[in-house]
Amino acid sequence: MVIYHVDVENVGNEWMNIIKDETPNDKILYLFTSKYAHLTYSEAAFLHDYMSLGVVYIKEGWSCGGGSNAIDYYLMGTMNNDIITDENAEENEYIILSDDKGYDAFIRELK
């Protein structure tokens, strides 16, 4: 199974192409979003369809202060926890979809 952790603030609706390109049964997408990400009506309808299949989940984050990396930290913490608790972690492939280069050290640490 391929498990995507998508930084929606940085990549917008690119996650839609992942769902369209492959069969939805071999992947799970966690969409990390905040008040800074916006969906059109058609994107919301598309999202609803895949959420009902249980392959797309929304993870909404927020920050009390002016921090600009709240979603990044939320994504990394969630992904790290998922890998630690996943009985099939060695069989699964974990992917971060983001245009942010700040995940490099985190990925090296996981390897």
Side-chain angles (χ1 to χ4, degrees), residues 1-4 15-30 46-47 49-57:
M1 168 114 24
V2 181
I3 302 169
Y4 290 87
W15 59 270
M16 294 173 67
N17 294 326
I18 294 169
I19 291 290
K20 290 177 186 177
D21 287 344
E22 302 173 35
T23 56
N25 296 334
D26 65 354
K27 73 177 66 55
I28 294 176
L29 276 77
Y30 292 107
F46 183 88
L47 176 62
D49 290 344
Y50 285 96
M51 286 179 68
S52 66
L53 293 174
V55 295
V56 175
Y57 301 91

Side-chain angles (χ1 to χ4, degrees), residues 48-92:
H48 177 269
D49 290 344
Y50 285 96
M51 286 179 68
S52 66
L53 293 174
V55 295
V56 175
Y57 301 91
I58 295 176
K59 302 276 191 176
E60 184 177 10
W62 58 276
S63 172
C64 293
S68 61
N69 293 325
I71 292 297
D72 300 350
Y73 293 122
Y74 183 33
L75 185 153
M76 288 185 288
T78 301
M79 184 176 189
N80 189 57
N81 189 57
D82 290 350
I83 292 170
I84 290 170
T85 60
D86 184 359
E87 295 175 356
N88 300 313
E90 292 185 13
E91 298 169 16
N92 291 334

Side-chain angles (χ1 to χ4, degrees), residues 26-45:
D26 65 354
K27 73 177 66 55
I28 294 176
L29 276 77
Y30 292 107
L31 304 179
F32 290 82
T33 187
S34 72
K35 65 182 179 181
Y36 301 110
H38 303 284
L39 293 175
T40 65
Y41 176 79
S42 61
E43 292 168 344

